[in-house]
Amino acid sequence: MTTQAQTESALRPVTKAARIDSLDILRGVAVLGILLMNITGFGLLPHAYGNPLADGGGTGINLATYQTTTILFEGTMRGIFSLLFGASIVLLTERMEQSGAGLDTAEIYFRRMFWMLVFGFIHWSLLLWYGEILFAYAMCGFVLFAFRKIAAKWQLALAALLLLGAAGFQAQSYQEAATMQASANDALAAKDAGQKLSKEQASAIEDWNGLREHFYPTEEAAKAVRKIHNVGYWQAVTGQFDSSYQFQWTEAPFWLIFDMSSFMLIGMGLLKLGVLSASRSRRFYLTLMVAGYGIGVPLGLYELNLILASGFEVMGFKSADITYQFSRLAMVCGHLGLILLFIKSGLLGFLQRALAATGQMALSNYLAQTLICVTLFYGFGFALFGKLERHELYIIVAAIWVAELIWSPIWLRHFRFGPFEWLWRSLTYWQRQPMKVG
């Protein structure tokens, strides 16, 4: 039977000794790195995330910026975040069970996921970041609780099956797009020949144009997005809600099952194998880095060349998607090997401490990035949306990095948690948590 003292022990803040520094540093790198990709979603049309010709410049330094971030960082920081989220499921529940929470573990855990879901909803609806991940992570967390105790080998095996499923799904999507394109081309040829189009032919053209608009916005769609960024706050909230809802909910199943859950399961397995805690040998991490980059960089170049060779057309993106999850996984492994080698080296201790503090405040820093960017890019702030080229956006990224690396350790000298971590924990346990250090 769980005693009152044991339950209270499970509710106490995690002590410094109980933390795993490597996970905090990895989380710090991930929360900073994810802004490398998110910044285009804040400052440019959403289509520009994958297609530089859609907005922000597609030649010269802008194209080079797109190519570099696509090969090195596309999906990788989100991948590391997903790994760490999976690892945190294991760490959190194990800690509560060892502290004697017993059956309260499940109740506490699911309350934690519920409040993450609420934060996520507020983030994409009221804070205006349609690409946010907390909402989807919470939904994954509800399911993956059941997988936390299975052996690492089975967690990794299940993740491999999900990644293979992703490749199969994307291959099918490629074939469907190819069929759609062929039907549209036939219909357009008939139209050019002066033939009256059937309903099926007209529908084929419409469907193909609809798919292409995911990569190339129509003038009307671009105008609508720009309008949302040049109105008052509440008009922006209501104006973007439908598109955000579609991204966060209608399009969620693929991302939840194949993109996020697979990497979360890998994170669970790697934690159990001692990889994420930096307890393996330097040789192991060097091998992980070399193998990861050795596979990921060539595969990423292959995918990029498919896109470039197509002239940034639909079929180029669709063909690159087939191997995307595998190139992403390889690059994540390369990044993990590099970062964990850096951690084990002990070099640049001041930077490692700053990254660890940034990682301890990952939720607050993630939301702070949104608050800063919304203020910069929306009309009720500085209205910079669409006014910077792609490469110029990274000046803002660098400034935010510096700010978060400075304020995080300063904040944690005085407080136990970041402000949103404190709120999240207080809501989870439904009691005000101690905030100040000492």
Side-chain angles (χ1 to χ4, degrees), residues 25 222 290 308:
I25 294 172
V290 172
L308 295 176

Side-chain angles (χ1 to χ4, degrees), residues 409-428:
I410 292 175
W411 179 276
L412 290 176
R413 287 178 198 158
H414 304 284
F415 303 101
R416 295 173 183 265
F417 313 104
F420 286 102
E421 284 79 6
W422 173 83
L423 177 61
W424 188 17
R425 189 178 183 87
S426 296
L427 289 170
T428 296

Side-chain angles (χ1 to χ4, degrees), residues 295-330:
I295 297 171
V297 171
L299 195 51
L301 285 169
Y302 162 76
E303 293 166 355
L304 178 63
N305 285 331
L306 289 173
I307 295 171
L308 295 176
S310 74
F312 296 99
E313 284 295 338
V314 173
M315 297 314 299
F317 291 108
K318 288 293 184 179
S319 57
D321 281 346
I322 296 173
T323 55
Y324 168 73
Q325 294 293 350
F326 299 109
S327 63
R328 184 167 81 107
L329 176 60

Side-chain angles (χ1 to χ4, degrees), residues 100-389:
L103 295 177
D104 291 332
T105 296
E107 181 182 352
I108 294 169
Y109 174 84
F110 284 110
R111 283 208 306 266
R112 180 180 175 88
M113 290 301 103
F114 168 77
W115 287 113
M116 175 181 269
L117 194 76
V118 172
F119 284 174
F121 175 79
I122 293 171
H123 193 200
W124 64 258
S125 61
L126 299 181
L127 298 186
L128 301 169
W129 177 223
Y130 66 89
E132 83 91 31
I133 59 176
L134 301 176
F135 188 80
Y137 272 30
M139 288 192 286
C140 290
F142 285 126
V143 176
L144 291 180
F145 179 81
F147 295 87
R148 72 195 190 282
K149 289 189 176 183
I150 65 176
K153 64 179 182 181
W154 295 116
Q155 290 169 338
L156 297 177
L158 181 56
L161 287 175
L162 290 176
L163 292 175
L164 287 171
F169 183 91
Q170 296 291 23
Q172 180 183 7
S173 179
Y174 171 85
Q175 291 298 329
E176 290 174 352
T179 301
M180 189 184 298
Q181 182 185 40
S183 298
N185 287 341
D186 289 344
L188 288 170
K191 182 178 180 180
D192 291 340
Q195 299 177 20
K196 183 179 180 179
L197 299 184
S198 66
K199 289 183 179 180
E200 290 76 12
Q201 288 174 315
S203 179
I205 296 173
E206 183 179 350
D207 290 345
W208 174 250
N209 288 337
L211 178 60
R212 194 172 183 274
E213 285 171 15
H214 285 286
F215 305 97
Y216 283 93
T218 63
E219 183 177 344
E220 182 181 356
K223 184 179 180 180
V225 174
R226 293 190 177 101
K227 180 180 178 181
I228 290 172
H229 286 80
N230 286 283
V231 295
Y233 168 72
W234 188 247
Q235 290 89 344
V237 169
T238 56
Q240 64 85 46
F241 186 87
D242 287 345
S243 59
S244 293
Y245 175 84
Q246 181 177 357
F247 182 82
Q248 289 290 334
W249 189 254
T250 307
E251 300 176 7
F254 175 85
W255 297 104
L256 294 177
I257 298 170
F258 297 114
D259 186 286
M260 297 179 181
S261 293
S262 58
F263 277 76
M264 290 174 187
L265 286 164
I266 293 171
M268 290 179 174
L270 293 183
L271 179 74
K272 293 181 179 183
L273 295 175
V275 175
L276 298 181
S277 58
S279 59
R280 305 295 288 266
S281 68
R282 286 183 173 85
R283 182 176 180 180
F284 175 89
Y285 293 117
L286 179 61
T287 301
L288 185 65
M289 180 186 73
V290 172
Y293 289 149
I295 297 171
V297 171
L299 195 51
L301 285 169
Y302 162 76
E303 293 166 355
L304 178 63
N305 285 331
L306 289 173
I307 295 171
L308 295 176
S310 74
F312 296 99
E313 284 295 338
V314 173
M315 297 314 299
F317 291 108
K318 288 293 184 179
S319 57
D321 281 346
I322 296 173
T323 55
Y324 168 73
Q325 294 293 350
F326 299 109
S327 63
R328 184 167 81 107
L329 176 60
M331 289 302 294
V332 165
C333 290
H335 291 340
L336 284 177
L338 177 62
I339 298 166
L340 289 162
L341 270 178
F342 169 60
I343 292 170
K344 289 182 75 70
S345 73
L347 296 172
L348 301 176
F350 72 94
L351 178 58
Q352 293 203 28
R353 290 189 292 274
L355 285 169
T358 303
Q360 288 180 46
M361 292 175 54
L363 176 61
S364 294
N365 282 319
Y366 178 58
L367 295 176
Q369 290 172 6
T370 295
L371 292 172
I372 292 170
C373 289
V374 165
T375 301
L376 289 175
F377 292 110
Y378 275 83
F380 50 82
F382 292 90
L384 291 179
F385 182 82
K387 295 181 180 179
L388 299 178
E389 295 184 15

